[in-house]
Amino acid sequence: MKRVLLTAASGITTLATVAFMSGSALAWTYGLTGTGQCQTDGSFKITWVVDNSVENEALTITGSSDTAVVPVGTTVAAKSTEDFTQVADGTKAGSDTLMLEGNFPSDSTMRSRTATVTLATACAQPVVIPPVTTTPTPTPPVAATAQAPAPAPVAAPVGPVNAGFGGVKTLDVAAALGLVGSAAIAFLGVRRLSKNQ
């Protein structure tokens, strides 16, 4: 009877040890999920969520399939989640997968998580409206304003000008004196003729 009890007690101890070890192995955990949405600019925005809301220790990322999205060395605080954004090509359908590896200060085991987001159909692309080009209306030439003809130049007087009263030309004075002289000679000639008769 004692042997049966000892065997039973030994069995219970073994099960408890296995359960404890199993519980310890499964105690450290975190999650990774992803969602995607088309944007107005035609791109596909993916939000990856690292969930460490269960553990009492910070999670440290030790491996990442896309370090541009989740860099190695990233930490997610205990009892919290962290979002990471990725912008993917929205012009064609396809899948994006992210794989992370990480552990906790009290956990030496590297635990990996993988998530995939699928774009079933390409995102609608924005319509590009070409700029409206207008042909400028030609401006009619401005008619030249009619200008009055320039006054004809006044001919300079020929010969010296008498600076005396009235500004009479020297040639005019000489002609006048000539006429007076001729008249005087004619008068004298007539007078002589009268006396001879």
Side-chain angles (χ1 to χ4, degrees), residues 31 36 41 54 89 95 103 115 121 124 132 175-176 191:
D41 63 357
V54 174
D89 183 6
S95 297
N103 66 349
T121 58
V132 178
R191 192 171 179 186

Side-chain angles (χ1 to χ4, degrees), residues 11-86:
I12 293 172
T13 303
T14 303
L15 289 173
T17 302
V18 171
F20 174 77
M21 292 180 64
S22 299
S24 176
L26 296 175
W28 301 103
T29 185
Y30 67 94
L32 174 64
T33 57
T35 55
Q37 186 174 9
C38 288
Q39 304 298 297
T40 56
D41 63 357
S43 64
F44 187 56
K45 178 183 176 183
I46 301 173
T47 302
W48 302 102
V49 180
V50 179
D51 186 354
N52 187 32
S53 60
V54 174
E55 302 301 340
N56 292 318
E57 295 183 6
L59 167 70
T60 299
I61 301 300
T62 57
S64 173
S65 62
D66 192 339
T67 56
V69 178
V70 182
V72 171
T74 298
T75 59
V76 180
K79 300 293 184 181
S80 67
T81 61
E82 191 79 29
D83 293 355
F84 300 88
T85 301
Q86 175 184 353

Side-chain angles (χ1 to χ4, degrees), residues 1 12 38 60 91 114 116 141 150 156 158 163 165 182-183 187:
M1 185 73 177
I12 293 172
C38 288
T60 299
T91 61
T114 303
T116 299
V158 179
F165 180 78
S182 298
F187 176 75

